[in-house]
Amino acid sequence: MDLKQLEHFVAAAEEQHFTRAARRMNIVQSGLSASIRALEQEMGAALFVRTTRRVELTVAGRVLYEKALQIIAGAQEARRAVAAINGLERGSLSIGTCASLNAFFDLPLLLGEFRALHPDVEIRLCHSTAANLMGKVKDGNIDLAFLPLYEKSREIVSMPIASDRLIVVHPLDHPLAGRECVSLHSLAGETFVDFQLDQGTRRIVDRAFASINVSRKTALEVGDVQVLLDLVARGFGIALVPHTFVTARAAHSTAPKIGFTALRKPVIRWDLVAIFGGRAGAAQSRNPAVAAFTEVLKRVRAESALF
């Protein structure tokens, strides 16, 4: 049984005439008759009493008629719902974000621009670590996420948002103070304050040290960059963080002061991206709102100094 058979059946039941029903459905009468016969065979019951002048529903036909109306109405509602989502008259968009990314872009501004264009799309926010968000995007539990890209995957598509370099931050009275730049190898004996293991910046730093076969000591692990920088300022260790975080902190005169030193080449890049589930060219097809959001993102990036 398919939807078209039910539509043919309903037309015949309401017209009480196969010829008129066929005209209403814009098919030949023989086609409509064959469709109804196939439906009767599948249902295992006669649905019409046929005479030379008209057709009437049997008891089984009357039962099916009520159900068929519900099924057809449900299918029409489903078509309307899909059309509304494709036209962004409704739908949802789930976004994941990591901590402290406001130094790189204005998420409320971005969401406000999207809401102004598509007010009926429900927006949901999820705040978590980069590793957790990466998994959620891969599994389809959220539509997109903003995070530091610590690994590439065939299961995701990434869109660049910002690029930065990692620098060494240290207490003002640390031996590194006054040094213009240092090598990664020279930091092997230092004590570090670091991010938690499932955060993107931590994974980038761990990978950098692993690539030169250097181990290091981590005294404290935190989840927030401002707490990390406060701990560094108070002498708990040094850290590797994006330069933009340090610049943003310097604008707040009440925060404890810290020193910073550049890394010698090759620098460690820190790339903030928006990621989507799927392969290149197909990521946005899962949810039309994702494609619309990326267009707003591109425009706001071009217009705003916060990107």
Side-chain angles (χ1 to χ4, degrees):
M1 175 172 47
D2 60 36
L3 189 62
K4 189 59 67 177
Q5 285 178 320
L6 290 179
E7 290 173 343
H8 293 165
F9 164 72
V10 167
E14 292 177 349
E15 297 293 339
Q16 296 185 322
H17 197 281
F18 279 11
T19 301
R20 289 196 298 269
R23 191 179 304 120
R24 168 174 156 179
M25 298 303 299
N26 198 29
I27 63 171
V28 297
Q29 180 179 332
S30 59
L32 182 133
S33 297
S35 176
I36 291 176
R37 282 197 300 271
L39 181 60
E40 289 179 319
Q41 290 175 0
E42 185 167 348
M43 299 301 295
L47 302 175
F48 291 100
V49 176
R50 295 163 173 83
T51 67
T52 56
R53 302 186 63 178
R54 59 187 296 179
V55 293
E56 295 180 352
L57 289 171
T58 63
V59 174
R62 287 195 295 271
V63 172
L64 180 61
Y65 175 73
E66 297 299 328
K67 296 296 183 183
L69 290 177
Q70 297 173 15
I71 294 170
I72 292 170
Q76 291 172 342
E77 175 60 26
R79 291 192 189 103
R80 286 192 292 269
V82 171
I85 289 174
N86 284 334
L88 294 181
E89 297 168 11
R90 59 186 292 185
S92 64
L93 179 67
S94 54
I95 301 172
T97 183
C98 296
S100 305
L101 298 186
N102 58 307
F104 290 90
F105 73 106
D106 190 337
L107 181 59
L109 169 67
L110 181 60
L111 296 180
E113 293 285 333
F114 180 79
R115 172 61 62 84
L117 291 173
H118 309 290
D120 295 321
V121 175
E122 179 187 3
I123 299 173
R124 296 192 294 268
L125 288 179
C126 171
H127 183 79
S128 190
T129 62
N132 191 29
L133 293 176
M134 180 81 77
K136 286 180 177 292
V137 170
K138 288 180 179 179
D139 295 340
N141 292 322
I142 59 176
D143 295 310
L144 71 152
F146 294 99
L147 50 80
L149 187 63
Y150 60 88
E151 70 174 15
K152 293 185 178 180
S153 170
R154 294 182 178 180
E155 300 176 67
I156 64 166
V157 177
S158 62
M159 176 180 175
I161 301 298
S163 185
D164 204 354
R165 58 190 172 91
L166 296 185
I167 62 172
V168 185
V169 292
H170 53 74
L172 292 177
D173 59 354
H174 193 277
L176 290 175
R179 298 279 299 274
E180 183 177 348
C181 63
V182 294
S183 69
L184 201 60
H185 280 93
S186 69
L187 303 179
E190 298 288 344
T191 298
F192 279 78
V193 178
D194 218 327
F195 293 101
Q196 294 167 345
L197 288 171
D198 55 354
Q199 293 189 259
T201 306
R202 172 63 180 270
R203 295 197 173 198
I204 293 170
V205 172
D206 282 348
R207 187 166 297 169
F209 277 99
S211 70
I212 60 173
N213 296 315
V214 170
S215 60
R216 63 196 176 107
K217 177 184 176 182
T218 299
L220 297 172
E221 295 178 343
V222 298
D224 180 81
V225 66
Q226 295 306 323
V227 174
L228 180 146
L229 295 177
D230 284 345
L231 290 170
V232 169
R234 299 186 186 284
F236 285 91
I238 67 170
L240 287 172
V241 298
H243 183 264
T244 301
F245 286 149
V246 180
T247 302
R249 181 184 177 86
H252 299 283
S253 58
T254 58
K257 302 299 182 182
I258 56 173
F260 64 91
T261 303
L263 282 174
R264 287 179 186 159
K265 294 183 178 180
V267 298
I268 304 174
R269 299 307 307 178
W270 186 95
D271 296 314
L272 175 64
V273 299
I275 64 169
F276 321 94
R279 296 182 182 274
Q284 291 94 332
S285 63
R286 293 183 180 180
N287 183 351
V290 175
F293 185 81
T294 57
E295 290 304 311
V296 173
L297 174 57
K298 292 175 184 176
R299 178 176 58 80
V300 173
R301 283 179 63 200
E303 297 174 353
S304 175
L306 293 175
F307 282 82

